[in-house]
Amino acid sequence: MEAVRQMSNWDVEKIRKDFPVLSQTVNGKPLVYLDNSASSQVPQLVIDRGSKYLAEEHSNIHRGVHYLSQHATTAYEAAREKIKRFINAKEAKECIFVRGTTEGINLVAYSYSKKFINEGDEILVSQMEHHSNIIPWQMAAEERGAKIRVIPMNDRGELIIDEYENLLNERTKIVAVAHVSNSLGTINPIKEMIATAHKFGVPVCVDAAQSVPHFPVDVQDLDVDFFAFSGHKMFGPTGSGIVYGKKEWLDKMPPYQTGGGMIRTVSFEATTFAGLPDKFEAGTPAIAAGIGLGAAVDYINSIDFEAAAAYEYELLEYATQRLSDIPGVTIIGTAANKASVLSFTIEDVHPHDIGTILDQDGIAVRAGHHCAQPVMEFFDVPATARASFAFYNTREEIDKLADAVQKVIEVFA
Ligand SMILES: Cc1ncc(COP(=O)(O)O)c(C=O)c1O
């Protein structure tokens, strides 16, 4: 996916009205919310859907014959169906409800490795991964006697694709890579990377936490094997998320967690498991969150998502230019193909101080290692400040960010 670059025609003021949280003041200043990569804000439509469920429909799903249970089950499964269409999965049962990207990747790492990874095998992960797409694989490697190998990046924060191709071999059993880096904003060429892995018969697990909220995705077009994302980063509730897996893989993989709802028969001698998706959804799920995620998909479908992506790209370019013009500011992550994320440092100022001073002006950015310590190590910084954009941010907010960054420099001069 190339960043969407056509000039956008986007009515941001109209869109902002959909998000009640944006109209508040923080420290006496209008909130400038630039922490969307951590969690995006929630539109009224999603808030209303959650309230309606809790007020009128709440009940446990899949088990009851009574009215409310059937009603809640229908709503929950309708959400799955919406997500299936949204990412263009072949079947809804390939979309497993999870708490978020982290749980989705843990599910794949645990279950896939148990079945398909053995002593001496190799797992490729990239150097720019979020810890959520490193540690589950490390644990799996340890458990199975396999080895982690790292796809390196260059100093713009782009994966070195030649090196990736050299790393793939007959011992490689899976590739784990981010669609978009949360610390650098790099959009990785995952379609090409997947096609290359498939030449070796190797499946690919994509961390899509930072792509799904920012541009349209199509899992069949990507031909991706596993694809995990979080509801709270795509205008939905926390506690919701999806891990998509191709049926042919999921069918062969053992359950991740066990308990109620995921079985066909149980006796003290043996248990047989339900089919997809139930096999991977043990226990009572986060029903309200799942229905809320469906509503988030409704919201995205109600706007011109392509135009939103183009608008966001313009914001990113504008912010990059504004901050690059300030002496003492260094942008971390300058890939040719980026989305939404602008990480930066200021000479002689710790990112936490940047975050704290910006907060005094009502500007929310993230400061820290962004759960990507190997990225910080690569760029030889302890942390960065990160502004991350959504389609409800404005150029005026970026001007405020630039002015506040200037102020930080003056305070520390
Ligand atoms: C690229 C990436 N992967 C994984 C995660 C983890 O997502 P969650 O905390 O919703 O499970 C994040 C969250 O910031 C992320 O940005």
Side-chain angles (χ1 to χ4, degrees):
M1 170 77 197
E2 284 284 306
V4 184
R5 285 176 187 194
Q6 71 270 26
M7 287 299 283
S8 67
N9 179 16
W10 184 249
D11 188 347
V12 66
E13 290 310 325
K14 180 165 173 279
I15 286 290
R16 286 178 72 80
K17 294 199 176 80
D18 295 338
F19 293 83
V21 81
L22 297 177
S23 59
Q24 68 186 288
T25 54
V26 170
N27 294 326
K29 310 273 172 54
L31 169 67
V32 175
Y33 188 75
L34 300 178
D35 194 18
N36 295 287
S37 291
S39 273
S40 54
Q41 295 300 344
V42 180
Q44 191 66 49
L45 183 149
V46 174
I47 298 167
D48 290 346
R49 187 64 193 89
S51 305
K52 181 174 157 55
Y53 169 77
L54 292 172
E56 298 171 19
E57 302 166 315
H58 176 59
S59 176
N60 210 321
I61 57 168
H62 290 151
R63 291 157 216 179
V65 291
H66 60 79
Y67 172 82
L68 271 189
S69 176
Q70 294 196 0
H71 198 69
T73 303
T74 304
Y76 192 68
E77 292 306 323
R80 194 192 307 276
E81 193 59 43
K82 287 172 193 178
I83 291 149
K84 172 231 164 194
R85 283 198 296 275
F86 180 59
I87 62 170
N88 194 31
K90 216 185 276 177
E91 298 183 66
K93 62 184 172 192
E94 296 177 310
C95 299
I96 311 295
F97 275 114
V98 285
R99 277 193 300 124
T101 311
T102 303
E103 190 175 49
I105 297 172
N106 272 276
L107 183 158
V108 178
Y110 172 88
S111 175
Y112 176 88
S113 67
K114 215 166 171 195
K115 177 85 181 186
F116 294 107
I117 297 184
N118 293 302
E119 181 101 33
D121 286 341
E122 293 179 358
I123 297 167
L124 297 194
V125 302
S126 98
Q127 195 161 16
M128 67 174 72
E129 296 310 307
H130 187 282
H131 297 163
S132 293
N133 206 21
I134 299 175
I135 307 163
W137 298 111
Q138 271 176 339
M139 298 289 283
E142 207 173 293
E143 180 73 24
R144 308 299 298 164
K147 196 168 154 192
I148 299 286
R149 304 200 66 192
V150 181
I151 309 161
M153 63 183 170
N154 64 26
D155 55 16
R156 291 185 302 277
E158 294 163 327
L159 294 181
I160 304 172
I161 296 302
D162 287 350
E163 302 262 0
Y164 164 61
E165 290 174 2
N166 290 337
L167 282 167
L168 280 161
N169 64 59
E170 69 286 351
R171 290 183 301 279
T172 315
K173 287 298 177 299
I174 194 156
V175 175
V177 65
H179 200 172
V180 175
S181 155
N182 69 307
S183 54
L184 302 168
T186 312
I187 304 178
N188 288 316
I190 58 159
K191 188 169 174 183
E192 294 73 17
M193 291 177 77
I194 291 165
T196 307
H198 285 176
K199 283 189 201 145
F200 290 80
V202 175
V204 179
C205 176
V206 168
D207 173 346
Q210 299 295 346
S211 59
V212 171
H214 298 290
F215 49 78
V217 297
D218 180 331
V219 291
Q220 288 191 74
D221 179 59
L222 291 169
D223 200 17
V224 65
D225 302 278
F226 303 103
F227 195 76
F229 52 97
S230 303
H232 69 98
K233 296 180 196 288
M234 53 175 289
F235 322 107
T238 51
S240 68
I242 289 291
V243 60
Y244 159 86
K246 279 185 186 166
K247 181 175 176 299
E248 50 265 41
W249 286 116
L250 293 178
D251 271 342
K252 292 183 196 128
M253 286 160 46
Y256 171 51
Q257 294 182 340
T258 56
M262 49 75 69
I263 56 93
R264 195 157 279 144
T265 61
V266 179
S267 72
F268 285 110
E269 289 69 43
T271 292
T272 58
F273 303 122
L276 297 176
D278 300 359
K279 181 171 84 174
F280 289 107
E281 294 184 358
T284 300
I287 305 167
I291 291 172
L293 180 56
V297 168
D298 287 340
Y299 181 77
I300 295 173
N301 288 339
S302 76
I303 63 172
D304 181 345
F305 199 30
E306 291 269 359
Y311 173 77
E312 253 182 56
Y313 185 74
E314 286 168 14
L315 285 182
L316 177 65
E317 286 219 303
Y318 182 59
T320 305
Q321 179 232 310
R322 286 295 323 261
L323 291 200
S324 304
D325 285 347
I326 303 175
V329 172
T330 303
I331 308 284
I332 306 289
T334 50
N337 203 16
K338 281 184 68 172
S340 173
V341 169
L342 189 60
S343 266
F344 62 96
T345 57
I346 301 177
E347 214 171 23
D348 299 329
V349 185
H350 194 281
H352 284 134
D353 293 329
I354 304 175
T356 305
I357 295 176
L358 262 51
D359 183 55
Q360 288 167 5
D361 283 339
I363 302 171
V365 297
R366 184 131 297 226
H369 54 61
H370 315 295
C371 298
Q373 287 188 353
V375 174
M376 301 298 117
E377 196 183 325
F378 178 85
F379 285 98
D380 198 20
V381 291
T384 73
R386 180 187 71 183
S388 54
F389 310 107
F391 48 65
Y392 43 64
N393 291 125
T394 66
R395 281 170 80 92
E396 295 70 44
E397 290 182 320
I398 288 165
D399 290 335
K400 285 183 186 169
L401 170 71
D403 291 349
V405 165
Q406 189 69 58
K407 197 165 107 187
V408 172
I409 291 171
E410 282 155 22
V411 168
F412 281 86

